[in-house]
Amino acid sequence: MTSIDFSPLFRSMIGFDRMTSALESAYRSEPGGYPPYNIEASGENDYRITMAVAGFAEKDLSLEVKENILTVSGGRSEDEEQSRKFLYRGIANRNFERKFQLADYVRVIDARLENGLLHVDLRREIPETMKPRKIEIRAEGKADRAIDTESREAAA
């Protein structure tokens, strides 16, 4: 497999160092895989990951967020599997671990298991300080008066 050089993308982008590693890991990861999943946008800032985890109970599943990586894993004890004798096994329920790279300010707000599907709801919550704000442009000469006004208000 050849690697892709993403360096031209970052010539004019500053502070996007993690994006390089995320793009490279996405390029290297296997398509599909187990368990199958969907990612959907349910609003401007709301997302849902739905994973087909038939045969797994709540106690068999684990979700963890660390450094903007959501890890969903599932595992069943070997004792459970050995106590059963299968004549045919068509339902895959092997152990798994799936990782999702989350953007800044995206957090998990809910996770629930329903009819063999694991639903993980996410929301992007941008802090007020990061939201766009309007900057006033002052004409020449008005800047001095604005500074004088601010100085007088601070002194009061």
Side-chain angles (χ1 to χ4, degrees), residues 94-110:
R94 59 187 179 267
N95 296 346
F96 69 88
E97 180 176 271
R98 178 144 327 251
K99 294 180 186 262
F100 300 92
Q101 179 76 43
L102 303 179
D104 290 337
Y105 313 115
V106 172
R107 68 181 189 94
V108 176
I109 58 170
D110 189 32

Side-chain angles (χ1 to χ4, degrees), residues 33-52:
Y34 176 79
Y37 65 93
N38 293 335
I39 300 175
E40 58 187 292
S42 54
E44 187 176 331
N45 292 309
D46 294 317
Y47 306 91
R48 174 177 281 173
I49 300 170
T50 302
M51 300 180 76

Side-chain angles (χ1 to χ4, degrees), residues 56-96:
F56 286 91
E58 290 175 40
K59 65 179 178 60
D60 301 327
L61 299 169
S62 170
L63 276 80
E64 178 184 69
V65 177
K66 183 178 179 184
E67 297 176 5
N68 288 16
I69 296 177
L70 168 64
T71 303
V72 181
S73 54
R76 302 183 69 168
S77 69
E78 290 184 24
D79 296 339
E80 261 183 65
E81 296 301 309
Q82 290 176 352
S83 66
R84 300 166 70 186
K85 181 180 176 185
F86 290 94
L87 299 177
Y88 171 75
R89 188 170 193 164
I91 300 173
N93 60 356
R94 59 187 179 267
N95 296 346
F96 69 88

